[in-house]
Amino acid sequence: MARLPKLAVFDLDYTLWPFWVDTHVDPPFHKSSDGTVRDRRGQDVRLYPEVPEVLKRLQSLGVPGAAASR
């Protein structure tokens, strides 16, 4: 098996989700009982479709994750 990184660092905007969080959505965010996250205006806040699986895979391999954002 290939060597794994000691840490996986991700930018947030346009890496994990398809928007700039500081200009395209309005906090506060609320998670409904069905798991949907929405901003103050009721707009859905979604990750790119592949992101949950990537994060789960890294976690299962014991690779910690971190966020890097301005």
Side-chain angles (χ1 to χ4, degrees):
M1 182 153 121
R3 288 183 36 190
L4 297 172
K6 292 181 181 180
L7 178 68
V9 181
F10 297 93
D11 187 12
L12 302 175
D13 299 340
Y14 286 98
T15 301
L16 297 184
W17 45 68
F19 52 83
W20 286 300
V21 78
D22 59 341
T23 60
H24 291 104
V25 291
D26 292 319
F29 303 106
H30 300 279
K31 185 175 181 181
S32 64
S33 59
D34 67 359
T36 302
V37 177
R38 293 186 177 88
D39 73 356
R40 175 177 38 181
R41 296 175 297 158
Q43 179 176 329
D44 287 357
V45 177
R46 294 186 179 154
L47 300 170
Y48 283 119
E50 302 84 359
V51 168
E53 185 57 35
V54 169
L55 297 176
K56 287 177 192 173
R57 179 73 172 139
L58 287 169
Q59 183 180 27
S60 75
L61 293 170
V63 178
S69 189
R70 61 183 164 109

